[in-house]
Amino acid sequence: MQNLTIGFIGGGNMAEALIAGLRRAGHAGEHIIVADPQPARREFLTTSYQVISVEDNVVATKRADLLVLAMKPQQMKAAVAGLNVHLKTDASVISIAAGVSTAAMHEWLGEAANIVRVMPNTPALVAAGMSVLFSDAGEIHKVRTEYLLNACGESVRVEREGQMHAVTALSGSGPAYFFLLAEVLQATGEKLGLPADLAAKLAAQTALGAGKMLVESDRTAAELRHQVTSPGGTTQAALDMMYEMGLPDAVRKGVIAASKRSEELAG
């Protein structure tokens, strides 16, 4: 896989995360080509990761064995216009745009295009991403995609494209939910008299530790919660109030709202 030429259309943060992961994994910079319209961004990526950067999307498309479309959903149609005639016949085409269906991608790039739809998340920036992929293309295109995604975290497949709406709501948008919780914990810590830097450190490290326990333990989230909740103790007092104020229901409704919005974007 390290001999694959991997092209990127768009050099934003998620593209950078994937490029950084590839370089850490030993993928040669000469086999990574990034197309971005901004000269400063191209210079940054070339200098930071020793990759090839170009302005023209066509140049990256012609060379790519695996082409990553790393732009916002509303930019996708215009960005890929005319690229279908430049794609290699066996190229894998990865879209990381939320809500853009494989049917739409085939409409823009042709039915013969080997489309893989991916929902990554921002922890890929620190090599801890969770990416989910769907594709009706051949196995080689899924394997290539997993090679790319696993360079900056973990990846799993879903068998039905309709599941990508729930994936978007859970893991795609999910980091923001945890950031909000950490934000509230920090602010409340400050209100209770802690210095801002200490409150921030306690919130961040607690989030990291809890996440690590959840990933590395063989116990469920519910079991871990019960483990740290002593009857009549401080944690129980906090959780009782959170349940009383409707926190679980608010989270459920929020995730459902994100899923519905994903469906609307695909609409």
Side-chain angles (χ1 to χ4, degrees):
M1 290 288 179
Q2 292 198 344
N3 290 326
L4 285 175
T5 295
I6 301 178
F8 290 83
I9 306 297
N13 288 339
M14 191 55 67
E16 182 184 351
L18 294 169
I19 291 166
L22 286 168
R23 296 295 282 129
R24 282 193 301 268
H27 202 93
E30 65 193 42
H31 290 307
I32 300 173
I33 180 167
V34 189
D36 193 278
Q38 300 179 33
R41 188 61 178 169
R42 295 198 301 272
E43 182 179 357
F44 169 79
L45 292 171
T46 299
T47 302
S48 300
Y49 302 103
Q50 293 76 55
V51 299
I52 300 168
S53 63
V54 297
E55 182 178 3
D56 191 347
N57 292 348
V58 172
V59 175
T61 302
K62 285 182 174 180
R63 293 185 56 179
D65 301 306
L66 189 158
L67 184 66
V68 184
L69 304 175
M71 72 284 295
K72 296 183 184 299
Q74 60 269 29
Q75 300 171 329
M76 181 69 76
K77 185 176 181 179
V80 304
L83 293 185
N84 57 311
V85 298
H86 303 291
L87 279 171
K88 293 182 178 181
T89 303
D90 62 347
S92 306
V93 182
I94 299 174
S95 167
I96 64 172
V100 178
S101 68
T102 55
M105 296 302 303
H106 281 301
E107 180 182 342
W108 302 332
L109 288 174
E111 288 302 320
N114 302 301
I115 305 296
V116 183
R117 182 177 170 185
V118 172
M119 174 48 60
N121 64 11
T122 54
L125 293 165
V126 292
M130 182 68 252
S131 299
V132 181
L133 67 95
F134 167 81
S135 180
D136 53 12
E139 179 67 13
I140 184 59
H141 304 290
K142 299 173 188 177
V143 171
R144 287 176 176 177
T145 302
E146 288 168 336
Y147 167 75
L148 170 70
L149 300 176
N150 292 346
C152 57
E154 296 191 25
S155 64
V156 295
R157 303 179 185 183
V158 293
E159 298 302 318
R160 293 185 291 107
E161 186 169 12
Q163 293 174 304
M164 293 296 281
H165 300 305
V167 167
T168 300
L170 185 57
S171 62
S173 299
Y177 315 153
F178 289 91
F179 295 148
L180 174 60
L181 178 58
E183 182 182 349
V184 173
L185 287 173
Q186 177 184 341
T188 307
E190 292 179 44
K191 187 174 182 179
L192 291 171
L194 295 177
D197 58 345
L198 176 57
K201 182 175 180 62
L202 293 179
Q205 187 62 31
T206 299
L208 174 63
K212 190 173 177 65
M213 287 181 68
L214 189 56
V215 169
E216 296 182 0
S217 171
D218 58 358
R219 298 181 180 183
T220 66
E223 289 171 336
L224 289 171
R225 174 172 56 82
H226 284 299
Q227 179 182 313
V228 299
T229 306
S230 300
T234 57
T235 306
Q236 184 69 63
L239 293 177
D240 286 347
M241 180 58 69
M242 290 177 185
Y243 274 105
E244 183 179 333
M245 299 301 293
L247 176 63
D249 192 45
V251 173
R252 278 191 292 270
K253 289 180 178 178
V255 175
I256 291 170
S259 180
K260 287 183 177 178
R261 181 56 180 155
S262 177
E263 293 179 22
E264 291 169 0
L265 291 171

